[in-house]
Structures are given as C-alpha cells and as structure tokens.
Amino acid sequence: MSVQVDAVLGAAGPALADRMARVEVRLAAAAAWADGALAEHARTAIAAGGKRLRPMLVFLAAGENGPADDEGLIRAAAAVELVHSATLVHDDVLDASALRRGRPTVVAAAGRDMAVAVGDLLFSRAFAELVRNGRIDEVRVLSEASSALAAGELLQREDAWRADVTVERYLRRCELKTARLFEAACELGALEAGGPARELGAFGRRIGLAFQLLDDVLDVSGPPERTGKPRGTDLLDGTVTLPFILARERDPGLPHPRAVTTPERAAAVSDRIAATGALEDVRARALEMVAEAKAALPRADRALELVADGVVDRYA
Amino acid sequence: MSVQVDAVLGAAGPALADRMARVEVRLAAAAAWADGALAEHARTAIAAGGKRLRPMLVFLAAGENGPADDEGLIRAAAAVELVHSATLVHDDVLDASALRRGRPTVVAAAGRDMAVAVGDLLFSRAFAELVRNGRIDEVRVLSEASSALAAGELLQREDAWRADVTVERYLRRCELKTARLFEAACELGALEAGGPARELGAFGRRIGLAFQLLDDVLDVSGPPERTGKPRGTDLLDGTVTLPFILARERDPGLPHPRAVTTPERAAAVSDRIAATGALEDVRARALEMVAEAKAALPRADRALELVADGVVDRYA
C-alpha cells in the first residue's frame, strides 16, 4: 500500500512517528523471546510484514494524541502485527513461497517444520504481548480476529481451483482473511483511547475489504515491476478472485483455473480478464467501500482519510 | 497414560464425570464454530487428543467441589485441550503422520494446507474460549504455555539428528513441549477455584516432565502392541531423547541418529539402548519427579496422587 506515509505522519501529529519507531522495538523484543537461530527466523518473519499498516491503524484510531500513557497502544500495535506476521509465515508454508518482499521466506530458509513452529510462536507472543494491557476486551478482539484469519485461510483452500466460487463467498473470504484484522487494529486503538470502537472498527473493516479487492486487481493488472510478482500469480496458485469471477460471467470461454498452469498462460488469461472490463468494476466496488468508510467515520480525521485514500492510490 | 480413570473418578467425587462430559460438549461447539468440511476436520483434530488428561488436571486442581459456578472451569479445560489439539495437528504436519490413535490425521485426510489452518483455528478458538472467563491472569497463563509449546517444537527441530544433544537441553525441551501445558492446566484450575496456583502449577509441571520422560522410554521399550507404534520411532524421526543420550555415554559405539534409517535398524538400536540400562535410569528419574510432585502438593488429594501414579503405571 503506497500510503503517503509522509502525508499521514504530517496529518497525525508528531506522536505517530515516535510510536511507529517504538513498535519496531517491541517487535524486535518479541522475536528475541526465543533464542539463537529461532530468534533469527522470528526476525525474518517480522521483517517480511513490511509497511506496518496495521500498527499505524491502531495508532490513528486512538486519535491524534491518544491516551496519556501510550504503552498499551504500543503493545496492541505489536500484537496485531505479530498475528499478521504469523499468518504470513504460515501462508508461505502453504504456498511453499521462496521469497517475500525480495527476501527468503522462513520456510525457504529454515524448512517447513521451523516455519510452522515460528508462526505458532509469533501467534503466542501476540497474545502474551496484549495480555500485558490487562484488558480482557482487547484479548477478545484479537482472538476473534485470529479465528477469522484461520477460517478465511480454510475457506481459500476449500475454494481453491474452483471456477464456480460465488461473489458472496469471495467477499466472505476477504472479510475473514483481511478485513477482520484491519477492524481489530482500529478497535484496539479505540479501546485504548476510550474512543468509539465499533465505529472505528467498521472503518477498518471497510478499508480492509477494499484493500483486498484492489490487491486482487493488482495481481491481474500488474505491472510486475510494481507488484513484485508475475501477473496471474493468484490463478497459478488456484486462488479464484473477484476479477476472475466477474470476467467469467462475461466471457464464458475464459479457461478453468486448473488450465492455468504456466506463467505465460497466467499472463494471457490476465489480459483476457482485463479485456472484459472486470478490473474497472472491482475497482469501482473498492472505491465505493473506501468512500463509505470515510463517510461513516465518527470524527473528521485527516490522517485516517489519507490512509483510506492510500488504499485507492495504490492502484492509481 | 493408563491413569486408572475409574479410581480417579471415585476419588474425585461425582462432579468430575459430569465436568468431563461437559468439556466434550464445549470442544464440539468449538469445532462447530467453523462450517462444513472445516468443522469436520476440527472435530477430527479434537478427537485425536485422546484421554483428556489436561482437562482432568484442570478439574482436579480446582479441588473436589471447585467453584460454585463451574462454567469457567469447563471453559478453561476446553481451552487447554484446544491448544493441545492444535499442537498435535501441527506436529502431524511436520512429521507428515498418516495416523493418530488409529485414525487418519487431518494432514493425511485434508492435506498440509488445511492442517496448518485447522491448527491455527483451534489455537485461536482456545483463546476465544478462555477470554469468556473475563480473567486476564488466565489468558496470561495460556499464552505463556502456548509460547513454550512453540519454542519447544522449534528446539526439537533445531536438535533433530544431533547425537550431541545434552541432558540439560533435552530436559529444557520436555519442559517447553510438555510440562508447561500440564502446569498451565493445574494453574487454571486453581485460579478458577481461588486455590494455590503456583503450588498446583509446580505439581503439574513435574508430572508433565515425568510423563514425557516415560513417553520417551516407551518409544524405545515398546511393546508396539501397547504403544501403537514401532519401537524407535523417535530416532527414525531424528528426535534424540534421554534414553539415547544416556546410552551413548555408556556405549560409544551406538550408531549416530542419522544412521537409523529403517524400522528394523530402529528396533535393533532400541535393543542396544535397553542393554545399557539407560531405560531404568530414565525411569528412576521420572519416578523421582513424580514423588517430588506428590510430596509438594499443598493439600492431601487422593485424586491428584492417583493421576501422578498413573504416569508411573503407564510404564509398569
């Protein structure tokens, strides 16, 4: 997500940059909980998380200043990012991915066994971190979001290689796999600051859903130089997304996902999906979700609006 | 563990049988949280847990009657068993095991992808279940035990196929992989009942350690008709345990773990380990731990003593 980080930092006030730096320190400490090689793999996993969008949402949802004592906010942000990192490590096991963000994945560097266990460890540390806030309502938010992530992953595996995935089922998967953790990030920030958790959570869920839709558009549209992966990677993995679903309604001759067996074929099918106009439709849906998210914000908040816009800019 | 369940039930009073039945209902509900095929795999995973020793420890640590409202106790017991089940599912992924307790594993029935996600789901549901007790101290206990399990798994993978694993490192692995969840079970029961959590936790940790030591003896001694697996399975998987470590000190000609490549060879090496007297020594250590566990109990408790004895009887 090419959120204009500088703009967000400017709009959010000086506390944000400080907090973003402190969450890195906490994440490093969580990785260092294990020893030796284990800590190194945990660090690799956490580094692969990337842009720290979820911690940023925790901080922004807490408001410009947030609570006077913001240690709880830092812990909540670290906990959300740890769950995200754990999920990425396990996803890479499933996909046997060699690289993430240009670096070797844990599964590639240390094997499947280590990667499953590293994911489990990061997951456990997320809860251990959040528990320190002493707030059972926060733990509830994280445990429900984690359950959703796993259920979303299961749904994706169940629907793999199926040409008949419905729009409804696709949206449910995105909700579980992506939107719920965005929602949790916003809720946790609001809970720590005593703000409107439900409303800010709804904002997070909407932009999370838009984020996933546009991610799926980017997989088809590329360009690879910007996305860092060949076009049609989802189809090659058997993951049927909204662009394919809508395109197939318009172009019944679109090949079955099982027939997409080479990168060349994936690129060609991507072109054919784009030719149906499906990408514009998916993008329009995502834009609508972002607009709804902004309109339903419980307070005018330039930084949150900029993050929502970042979801869109990513595609532009 | 051939805990004499009838004897324990007799000693523990009528509440135990009722609670053991209710924890099954809660576990079934946790599995049913997902839908369709997912719920079925989750059920398979939970069924593979077996004897429900950890829930039993939760209940026994709470004392004969426990708290007047025992719903929290049921949830704590279910949470511990869910973490245990999640660990088993992930262990089976790592070992690519086809059977557990005579039934197909999740990884065998549904593939590696599903199994990783089913484990993640059970893990998340454990926390979601425990959160309902509204007690942050309980969540802390479970998150630390879960972290220990993952760290123990990582340690086991790091030490795989190494002939030079030290006794100290082996014991640390057992502590992390097994003893800490036994400890957590006892602590949770005590916390719900307002009992001495630290003391009962120490009891659980000690019998957990003894349990693992004797498990590792059984892997070498068999007989397969009783253990349900060929002798020397640990060595074939590259897992170096205390019997091997002690035997190698006495019989330097014992083959390197890497040389143990067939079941026949594993059985022969098992014989050679047994011939050094190492099994008796490991068993003596375990008996000592059980005796310490019983001696340090904060109250005379026939049921807990019977469970401790069950760890020993298992070998006899």
Side-chain angles (χ1 to χ4, degrees):
Chain A
M1 180 181 218
S2 76
V3 171
Q4 305 107 316
V5 177
D6 288 346
V8 173
L9 287 174
L16 181 63
D18 169 61
R19 288 174 180 152
M20 291 300 282
R22 281 159 65 206
V23 82
E24 292 301 324
V25 175
R26 287 226 67 79
L27 289 171
W33 185 88
D35 15 56
L38 322 185
E40 192 190 317
H41 297 313
R43 267 194 300 275
T44 302
I46 288 171
K51 305 142 295 180
R52 309 295 188 230
L53 177 57
R54 292 158 194 81
M56 186 185 274
L57 284 173
V58 174
F59 298 139
L60 294 180
E64 189 160 342
N65 297 310
D69 175 3
D70 63 358
E71 276 302 312
L73 213 49
I74 307 293
R75 284 192 289 263
V80 170
E81 189 69 10
L82 285 168
V83 166
H84 175 56
S85 299
T87 306
L88 295 184
V89 174
H90 281 179
D91 281 359
D92 288 338
V93 173
L94 303 187
D95 301 335
S97 305
L99 294 174
R100 188 176 277 276
R101 300 188 182 281
R103 307 186 209 187
T105 59
V106 177
V107 66
R112 202 170 71 205
D113 303 353
M114 277 294 210
V116 171
V118 165
D120 289 349
L121 181 68
L122 294 173
F123 205 57
S124 302
R125 293 322 293 166
F127 284 94
E129 190 71 24
L130 192 61
V131 152
R132 294 179 57 206
N133 283 0
R135 291 190 55 167
I136 205 76
D137 53 353
E138 295 185 4
V139 179
R140 180 176 301 117
V141 165
L142 193 66
S143 64
E144 293 299 336
S146 302
S147 300
L149 283 171
E153 189 62 40
L154 286 164
L155 202 58
Q156 180 164 328
R157 301 295 150 178
E158 271 209 321
D159 285 353
W161 312 108
R162 292 179 59 163
D164 63 347
V165 176
T166 61
V167 172
E168 187 194 0
R169 205 166 154 100
Y170 163 82
L171 289 174
R172 176 136 179 275
R173 184 212 303 164
C174 295
E175 174 99 20
L176 292 167
K177 270 205 67 170
T178 310
R180 292 289 299 277
L181 196 59
F182 277 61
E183 179 182 29
C186 291
E187 281 182 356
L188 289 173
L191 285 173
E192 272 294 314
R198 183 187 299 265
E199 289 82 353
L200 287 166
F203 170 84
R205 196 171 64 245
R206 284 183 174 121
I207 69 164
L209 209 49
F211 180 85
Q212 186 59 57
L213 260 65
L214 289 169
D215 210 52
D216 294 342
V217 167
L218 285 174
D219 184 79
V220 176
S221 69
E225 313 82 69
R226 286 187 54 196
T227 62
K229 58 179 183 178
R231 288 190 304 143
T233 298
D234 283 340
L235 268 179
L236 274 175
D237 290 342
T239 306
V240 173
T241 63
L242 192 53
F244 179 89
I245 296 170
L246 296 185
R248 205 154 198 253
E249 287 169 4
R250 296 160 195 190
D251 176 0
L254 209 64
H256 190 280
R258 288 215 179 273
V260 183
T261 50
T262 64
E264 294 70 30
R265 192 120 170 85
V269 174
S270 294
D271 285 338
R272 197 158 163 177
I273 290 172
T276 67
L279 299 183
E280 285 70 25
D281 280 14
V282 178
R283 190 175 179 231
R285 280 196 191 217
L287 286 170
E288 205 177 302
M289 289 172 192
V290 167
E292 279 172 15
K294 289 163 70 176
L297 270 176
R299 58 173 185 253
D301 188 310
R302 186 75 194 114
L304 281 173
E305 286 166 10
L306 278 168
V307 169
D309 289 338
V311 170
V312 184
D313 289 343
R314 193 163 161 248
Y315 176 85
Chain B
M1 178 183 219
S2 77
V3 171
Q4 305 106 316
V5 176
D6 289 345
V8 173
L9 288 174
L16 181 62
D18 168 62
R19 287 174 181 153
M20 293 299 283
R22 280 158 66 206
V23 82
E24 293 300 323
V25 175
R26 287 225 69 78
L27 289 170
W33 186 87
D35 16 54
L38 323 185
E40 191 190 317
H41 298 313
R43 266 194 301 276
T44 302
I46 287 171
K51 304 143 296 179
R52 310 297 189 227
L53 180 55
R54 292 157 192 80
M56 187 186 276
L57 284 173
V58 173
F59 298 139
L60 294 180
E64 190 161 339
N65 297 311
D69 175 3
D70 62 357
E71 276 301 312
L73 214 49
I74 307 291
R75 284 192 288 262
V80 169
E81 190 68 11
L82 285 168
V83 166
H84 175 57
S85 299
T87 306
L88 295 184
V89 175
H90 281 179
D91 281 359
D92 289 338
V93 173
L94 303 188
D95 302 335
S97 304
L99 293 174
R100 188 175 278 275
R101 302 190 179 278
R103 307 188 209 185
T105 59
V106 177
V107 65
R112 204 167 69 203
D113 303 355
M114 277 293 209
V116 170
V118 165
D120 288 350
L121 180 69
L122 294 174
F123 205 57
S124 302
R125 293 322 293 165
F127 284 95
E129 190 70 24
L130 192 61
V131 151
R132 295 180 56 207
N133 283 0
R135 290 190 55 167
I136 205 78
D137 52 354
E138 295 185 4
V139 180
R140 180 178 299 117
V141 165
L142 194 67
S143 65
E144 292 300 336
S146 302
S147 301
L149 282 170
E153 189 63 39
L154 286 164
L155 203 57
Q156 179 166 328
R157 301 293 153 182
E158 269 210 323
D159 285 353
W161 312 108
R162 292 180 58 165
D164 62 347
V165 176
T166 61
V167 172
E168 188 194 358
R169 205 166 154 101
Y170 163 81
L171 288 174
R172 178 138 176 274
R173 184 213 303 164
C174 295
E175 175 98 20
L176 293 167
K177 270 206 68 171
T178 310
R180 293 288 299 277
L181 195 59
F182 277 61
E183 181 183 27
C186 291
E187 282 183 354
L188 290 173
L191 285 171
E192 273 293 314
R198 182 187 300 265
E199 290 81 355
L200 287 166
F203 169 85
R205 195 171 64 246
R206 284 184 175 120
I207 68 164
L209 210 49
F211 180 86
Q212 186 59 57
L213 260 65
L214 289 170
D215 211 51
D216 294 343
V217 168
L218 285 173
D219 184 79
V220 176
S221 68
E225 311 82 69
R226 286 185 55 195
T227 61
K229 59 179 181 177
R231 288 190 303 142
T233 297
D234 283 340
L235 268 178
L236 274 175
D237 289 342
T239 306
V240 173
T241 63
L242 192 53
F244 179 89
I245 296 170
L246 296 184
R248 207 159 196 249
E249 287 170 4
R250 295 162 194 187
D251 177 0
L254 208 64
H256 190 282
R258 287 216 181 273
V260 183
T261 49
T262 64
E264 295 69 30
R265 193 121 169 84
V269 173
S270 293
D271 285 338
R272 197 160 163 176
I273 291 172
T276 66
L279 299 184
E280 285 71 25
D281 281 16
V282 178
R283 193 181 175 225
R285 281 197 190 217
L287 285 170
E288 206 177 303
M289 290 170 189
V290 168
E292 281 173 15
K294 288 163 69 176
L297 269 176
R299 60 172 183 254
D301 189 310
R302 187 73 194 116
L304 282 174
E305 286 166 11
L306 278 169
V307 169
D309 290 338
V311 170
V312 184
D313 289 343
R314 194 165 160 244
Y315 176 84

